[in-house]
């Protein structure tokens, strides 16, 4: 069994190397962004430009390359084309970035890698594969709402949950790691640095403003890659904040961030023009019915 | 009894006129609310609502025009979706989506303003205070 898993991984790696080789040989791109294991056995992101370098290419561990590829593309001369080895979440993040005009679509090639089942379980990912899979086998998604750790934070008594969240968020040391690691957080200037919204210099961060403003800004763009959570030095489960918003968008408006490059976010458009599922007013709206006799 | 504080963002074409009318008719209203006029319900940033909650406000109401009655290309419909997501976020964190009220009406319906604020006030009074979420710096006095 273990052997089978290993050989599967080796085949996947070989396949990826071949694709990268082909891209470099045919000069489809100026470089291939991926992970490299250097002589000291340390894994780091690297832009492969020459063929012999490709021997050091590795696929594990999970390392999000979307934000890195954006900064490479931005600082490169015009016409520079980059191929990126990306997982499902990476690809979705890149699509969101192209939608927001941060990356030019023509300058980007993607090599899609499907995540393993174990990785999907670690990330609680409901879609652990990119739309275009080049290497690896598609694993089935995990429903995050079935996970016990998540349910603890999302379901149950309001008052207890409020305290639970407050206790977790109190640990924040305001390192801005969640914002900096997020592939989609690109606003300049950032509201989290503005005194009007978030008091600067006080630690822990104000919970209702700092964390919830950040979470809300990503409501329709979050691709659930978990980069914020991984970057957090005090283990705040930041991804759980996004889950119910993502669920609402999916169920009511049929929208998932990063799937369709042409589809605009529903929160920018008219409520009445939504497909049938979204047309009913949410039940919590206090719709102003006319009083009798008026 | 717990006296909640309410912040109202009222669209100046409908909600604000309704609120004004309620005042002119001497409707009996709970005292602890403030009205901020805005151009359109869609202009109220969800961030502003979060800021208000952190500043010691117990509930925020956003009043806009009737559906189809918006002056700005049905912008108030975009606000429905935005606030739906914000409500999800508030529910997730246990603050409770019921602290946010979105309501659409027209200018002559002052009695509805009265009714809404009264109901909202009573609902909020039953909720536990937001203590753990208050900002140590920006508390509204």
């Amino acid at each position: 069994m273990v052997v089978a898993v290993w050989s599967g991984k080796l085949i996947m790696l070989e396949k990826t190397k071949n694709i990268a080789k082909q891209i470099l040989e045919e000069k489809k791109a100026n470089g291939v962004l991926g992970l490299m294991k250097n002589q000291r056995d340390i894994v780091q992101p690297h832009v492969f430009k020459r063929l012999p370098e490709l021997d050091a290419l590795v696929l594990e561990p999970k390392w999000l390359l979307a934000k890195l590829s954006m900064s490479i593309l931005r600082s490169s001369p015009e016409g520079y084309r980059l191929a990126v080895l990306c997982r499902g979440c990476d690809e979705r993040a890149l699509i969101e970035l192209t939608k927001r005009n941060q990356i030019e679509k023509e300058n980007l090639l993607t090599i899609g890698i499907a995540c393993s089942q174990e990785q999907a379980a670690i990330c609680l990912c409901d879609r652990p594969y990119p739309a275009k899979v080049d290497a690896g086998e598609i694993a089935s998604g995990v429903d995050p709402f079935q996970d016990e750790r998540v349910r603890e934070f999302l379901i149950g008594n309001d008052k207890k949950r409020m305290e639970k969240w407050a206790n977790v968020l109190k640990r924040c040391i305001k390192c801005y790691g969640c914002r900096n690691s997020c592939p989609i957080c690109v606003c300049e200037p950032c509201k989290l640095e503005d005194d009007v919204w978030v008091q600067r210099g006080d630690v822990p961060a104000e919970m209702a403003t700092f964390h919830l403003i950040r979470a809300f800004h990503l409501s329709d763009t979050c691709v659930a890659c978990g980069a914020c959570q991984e970057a957090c030095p005090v283990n705040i489960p930041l991804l759980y904040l996004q889950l119910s918003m993502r669920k609402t968008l999916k169920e009511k408006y049929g929208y998932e961030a990063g799937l369709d490059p042409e589809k605009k976010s529903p929160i920018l458009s008219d409520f009445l023009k939504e497909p049938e599922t979204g047309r009913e007013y949410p039940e919590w709206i206090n719709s102003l019915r006319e009083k009798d006799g008026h | 009894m717990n006296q909640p504080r309410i912040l109202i963002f009222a669209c100046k074409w409908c909600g604000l006129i309704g609120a004004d009318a309620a005042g002119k008719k001497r409707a009996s209203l709970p005292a602890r609310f403030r009205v901020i006029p805005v151009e359109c319900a869609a202009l109220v940033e969800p961030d502003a609502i979060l800021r208000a909650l952190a500043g010691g406000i117990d509930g925020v109401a956003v009043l806009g025009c009737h559906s189809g009655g918006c002056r700005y290309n049905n912008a108030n419909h975009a606000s429905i979706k935005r606030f739906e997501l914000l409500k999800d976020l508030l529910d997730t964190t246990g603050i409770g989506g019921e602290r946010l009220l979105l309501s659409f009406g027209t200018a002559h319906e002052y009695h509805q303003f009265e009714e809404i604020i009264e109901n909202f006030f009573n609902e909020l009074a039953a909720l536990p205070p937001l203590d753990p979420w208050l900002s140590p710096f920006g508390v509204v006095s």
Side-chain angles (χ1 to χ4, degrees):
Chain A
M1 181 63 198
V2 177
V3 179
V5 171
W6 267 106
S7 65
K9 279 189 177 169
L10 278 178
I11 293 169
M12 192 170 147
L13 182 60
E14 280 311 307
K15 219 172 162 185
T16 320
K17 276 182 186 170
N18 280 338
I19 296 168
K21 205 169 143 191
Q22 210 181 345
I23 286 176
L24 287 180
E25 271 173 355
E26 291 174 10
K27 296 221 161 51
K28 278 190 195 159
N30 301 54
V32 177
L33 177 63
L35 295 179
M36 182 184 78
K37 196 176 230 176
N38 65 13
Q39 286 101 338
R40 290 182 196 158
D41 269 5
I42 293 168
V43 178
Q44 65 187 58
H46 181 72
V47 179
F48 298 90
K49 291 188 187 112
R50 289 176 292 115
L51 289 178
E53 285 178 335
L54 282 174
D55 291 335
L57 182 80
V58 287
L59 298 178
E60 303 281 333
K62 173 190 171 198
W63 193 317
L64 286 147
L65 298 168
K67 197 157 202 177
L68 196 57
S69 44
M70 181 178 74
S71 62
I72 291 173
L73 282 172
R74 275 186 175 179
S75 57
S76 306
E78 218 167 294
Y80 184 91
R81 284 168 66 83
L82 185 71
V84 186
L85 288 177
C86 55
R87 290 166 185 265
C89 44
D90 257 336
E91 191 198 49
R92 292 193 287 276
L94 286 168
I95 288 176
E96 279 298 313
L97 287 170
T98 44
K99 259 159 106 175
R100 268 141 233 272
N101 298 331
Q102 302 296 324
I103 297 180
E104 295 218 13
K105 220 195 278 175
E106 301 80 54
N107 295 341
L108 190 75
L109 280 175
T110 56
I111 305 171
I113 302 163
C115 289
S116 62
Q117 195 69 59
E118 301 92 74
Q119 187 66 52
I122 293 169
C123 296
L124 297 174
C125 183
D126 55 357
R127 200 182 280 273
Y129 47 86
K132 175 174 92 68
V133 184
D134 291 313
E137 276 173 24
I138 293 178
S140 56
V142 179
D143 183 6
F145 288 92
Q146 300 302 325
D147 192 277
E148 207 44 53
R149 287 167 292 170
V150 177
R151 292 174 72 86
E152 223 180 310
F153 278 97
L154 297 190
I155 295 159
N157 179 296
D158 259 11
K159 190 155 190 289
K160 271 189 198 153
R161 214 165 62 238
M162 188 201 285
E163 274 162 25
K164 196 168 176 68
W165 272 108
N167 283 337
V168 169
L169 295 180
K170 238 174 232 162
R171 298 204 293 253
C172 177
I173 55 169
K174 216 177 182 185
C175 65
Y176 286 83
C178 42
R179 181 201 64 175
N180 296 344
S181 65
C182 177
I184 322 239
C185 271
V186 289
C187 300
E188 190 67 45
C190 177
K191 251 188 186 170
L192 300 184
E193 290 173 4
D194 190 338
D195 263 338
V196 175
W197 301 101
V198 179
Q199 193 79 31
R200 292 189 84 171
D202 68 326
V203 175
E206 284 171 34
M207 291 177 290
T209 51
F210 185 89
H211 292 285
L212 299 193
I213 285 180
R214 192 197 65 82
F216 188 80
H217 279 196
L218 296 165
S219 56
D220 61 331
T221 38
C222 175
V223 294
C225 63
C228 44
Q229 199 165 285
E230 276 164 35
C232 184
V234 287
N235 287 328
I236 301 173
L238 291 163
L239 182 59
Y240 302 174
L241 283 176
Q242 311 287 352
L243 292 175
S244 56
M245 291 191 284
R246 273 171 61 81
K247 193 178 174 194
T248 304
L249 282 173
K250 191 175 171 183
E251 282 176 0
K252 296 214 170 145
Y253 305 108
Y255 178 82
E256 256 185 278
L259 285 196
D260 185 352
E262 305 302 326
K263 196 169 178 183
K264 277 194 179 155
S265 157
I267 68 167
L268 300 172
S269 62
D270 189 337
F271 186 75
L272 295 180
K273 287 185 191 137
E274 283 299 326
E276 207 57 54
T277 46
R279 196 172 284 167
E280 276 175 31
Y281 285 146
E283 58 185 21
W284 57 277
I285 284 197
N286 186 337
S287 74
L288 290 166
R289 293 176 306 275
E290 281 199 19
K291 263 197 164 178
D292 297 333
H294 267 272
Chain B
M1 197 177 107
N2 180 16
Q3 286 277 313
R5 274 186 291 192
I6 304 178
L7 186 65
I8 300 168
F9 291 102
C11 140
K12 81 169 191 187
W13 300 101
C14 291
L16 187 65
I17 301 173
D20 240 7
K24 279 183 196 153
K25 303 263 179 188
R26 311 260 164 168
S28 65
L29 296 165
R32 309 230 301 174
F33 72 87
R34 292 283 177 277
V35 182
I36 298 180
V38 287
E39 197 69 33
C40 175
L43 272 177
V44 182
E45 283 175 276
D47 307 354
I49 289 161
L50 294 169
R51 187 77 192 82
L53 292 175
I57 298 286
D58 292 288
V60 181
V62 180
L63 308 181
C65 299
H66 264 311
S67 73
C70 184
R71 263 68 166 174
Y72 306 103
N73 281 335
N74 285 340
N76 60 355
H77 293 138
S79 70
I80 296 180
K81 297 183 200 167
R82 240 169 264 169
F83 288 128
E84 194 175 11
L85 293 181
L86 180 63
K87 182 185 174 286
D88 273 341
L89 186 60
L90 295 180
D91 273 339
T92 302
T93 47
I95 294 177
E98 59 273 22
R99 288 183 190 273
L100 171 64
L101 177 89
L102 180 61
S103 184
F104 296 146
T106 53
H108 69 278
E109 290 162 339
Y110 74 91
H111 54 85
Q112 289 184 335
F113 179 83
E114 191 186 339
E115 190 185 324
I116 286 170
I117 298 306
E118 193 72 51
N119 287 346
F120 193 36
F121 195 82
N122 291 339
E123 268 173 39
L124 288 175
L127 294 177
L130 269 181
D131 291 338
W133 292 89
L134 292 187
S135 146
F137 292 85
V139 176
V140 180
S141 56

